Amino acid sequence: MSAAALVPVALVGALVGLVVPSLARRFTTPPELTRAGLEPRPGGWAWLSPVVAAVVFAGLAVARGDDPALPVFLAVAAVGLVLAGIDLACLRLPDPLVLAAGLLALGGLTGTALLAGTPGRLLGALAGAAVAGAAHLLLALLPGSRLGFGDVKLAAVLGLPLGWLGRDALLAGLLLPHLLHGGVVLGLLAARRVRRDTLLPLGPALLAGAWLAVLLG
């Protein structure tokens, strides 16, 4: 993708990043969270959101500039940024937003496959969702697992665009999130910022790993 085309995509990403904090706050202050003791932590990351979103959008544009499904990837990324903010704030991945991301991915990829005459890529996307969802469901069912079913559903959604790209991207998208999450956990433990029993969000790692898998693919 040329620089002239890349700049507008990055600017759109920055604009998306401006509204991400306010959208995330809508899902982090419901009464049931307060009753459960899951008070959202202060959103000091808000100023960084436009920068992160611009980088995410620009990276996708560079990696997938020739793919007719690029708008679908950008739409899923936009919802994913909101989900990451919510999960960081209160360890929660709201079903309506995960469903919205899934519908955007499925509907967009279906339309792209039909218009491009490549139904095989749609089958790959569906297979990716099934594999990613099943793998994380098994992880969630393991004794002592801290993987939530919100993470399982998000992994299945992210399997759609990863499966669209093929086996290598899907495998990278399955492995990278857990490598990233493990590295962060080890770093926080070494810095004594958390304890071994501290619950940490996996959603941001799932999203970041999927993004890196797209870039590498």
Side-chain angles (χ1 to χ4, degrees):
M1 177 174 286
S2 67
L6 182 60
V7 171
V9 174
L11 289 176
V12 170
L15 291 174
V16 169
L18 287 174
V19 302
V20 163
S22 59
L23 290 175
R25 280 194 293 271
R26 292 176 178 270
F27 290 89
T28 55
T29 57
E32 63 267 26
L33 288 182
T34 302
R35 289 196 299 269
L38 295 175
E39 294 281 359
R41 294 185 286 274
W45 55 274
W47 67 271
L48 191 59
S49 180
V51 177
V52 172
V55 171
V56 168
F57 271 51
L60 291 173
V62 170
R64 307 307 311 168
D66 60 344
D67 193 330
L70 175 60
V72 182
F73 283 71
L74 296 176
V76 174
V79 180
L81 288 164
V82 181
L83 284 166
I86 297 169
D87 206 15
L88 285 168
C90 61
L91 302 175
R92 182 170 177 248
L93 291 168
D95 284 342
L97 287 180
V98 176
L99 177 61
L103 292 176
L104 284 171
L106 182 58
L109 293 177
T110 299
T112 301
L114 293 177
L115 289 174
T118 55
R121 296 194 75 177
L122 179 59
L123 293 176
L126 294 173
V131 170
H136 285 81
L137 178 60
L138 289 175
L139 289 175
L141 294 176
L142 290 176
S145 173
R146 296 184 180 181
L147 198 69
F149 284 97
D151 300 316
V152 175
K153 288 177 274 190
L154 178 58
V157 168
L158 295 176
L160 286 166
L162 292 173
W164 173 270
L165 297 180
R167 181 186 60 187
D168 291 345
L170 178 61
L171 290 175
L174 290 174
L175 294 175
L176 285 173
H178 299 283
L179 293 175
L180 291 172
H181 185 70
V184 170
V185 171
L186 289 175
L188 291 174
L189 286 171
R192 297 185 178 179
R193 298 289 302 274
V194 299
R195 300 182 306 181
R196 292 177 63 88
D197 59 349
T198 301
L199 292 177
L200 295 173
L202 180 63
L206 289 172
L207 291 159
W211 179 72
L212 288 174
V214 173
L215 266 58
L216 295 173

